[in-house]
Amino acid sequence: MTDVSMTVNGKAATGSVEGRTLLVQFLREDLGLTGTHVGCDTSQCGACVVHVNGKAVKACTMLAAEADGAEVTTIEGMAAPDGTLNTVQQAFQDHHGLQCGFCTPGMVMSAAALLEENPSPSEQEIREYLEGNICRCTGYHNIVKAIMAASGQDVTAIAAE
Ligand code: FES
Ligand code: FES
């Protein structure tokens, strides 16, 4: 077992993990942060995306031990302490960017990372960035629209499905 310590959603988090323990397991099972989902065992779905040191990472592709000392943000860390949704979350709600919601935490985390890198992405850039996030419900249209809206862009051009 290896001791790990990291900052998760602004708070110190410590634990003792096996060498094979994935970051997503540590977050969900040890810290109880079950907003980060597991939708596959092939690193394809993106339901597990979190931020590690400000970058979007599939938490099923990283060992918990590798995140030792890192700053990690999960979906639970996105809203304000009073529950006010952040801009991306609010845009998903406003533009119906979700149906079952299973992919949504990963989508929101990926979208937030994209907007950090590129505050005003084109529709095509959004679609390309989300290549690693699979949604089985929405057809992506409203997700793209929500992200464009979160970036402050006019979404009327892509308003019709
Ligand atoms: Fe599917 Fe991580 S759980 S990519
Ligand atoms: Fe159901 Fe995306 S909203 S998988």
Side-chain angles (χ1 to χ4, degrees), residues 97-104 107 134-138 143:
L98 64 145
Q99 286 181 26
C100 81
F102 193 83
C103 71
T104 310
M107 288 287 183
I134 294 172
C135 177
R136 66 182 179 181
C137 303
T138 65
I143 291 173

Side-chain angles (χ1 to χ4, degrees), residues 87-98 145-146 149:
T87 309
V88 177
Q89 290 173 306
Q90 188 62 54
F92 269 65
Q93 181 168 311
D94 293 345
H95 294 276
H96 311 291
L98 64 145
K145 202 159 103 176

Side-chain angles (χ1 to χ4, degrees), residues 57-80:
V57 169
K58 287 180 174 174
C60 72
T61 64
M62 187 172 195
L63 296 170
E66 289 179 292
D68 189 41
E71 294 264 351
V72 178
T73 306
T74 69
I75 191 67
E76 288 89 347
M78 295 302 274

Side-chain angles (χ1 to χ4, degrees), residues 5 8-9 30 35 39 44 54 58 69 80 86 91 97 112 128 133 136 143 153:
S5 110
V8 180
N9 300 332
D30 293 30
Q44 285 178 313
K58 287 180 174 174
N86 89 342
E128 282 169 13
N133 292 77
R136 66 182 179 181
I143 291 173
Q153 300 185 75

Side-chain angles (χ1 to χ4, degrees), residues 1-5 15-19 65 68:
M1 301 291 276
T2 308
D3 289 338
V4 289
S5 110
S16 187
V17 297
E18 291 185 60
D68 189 41

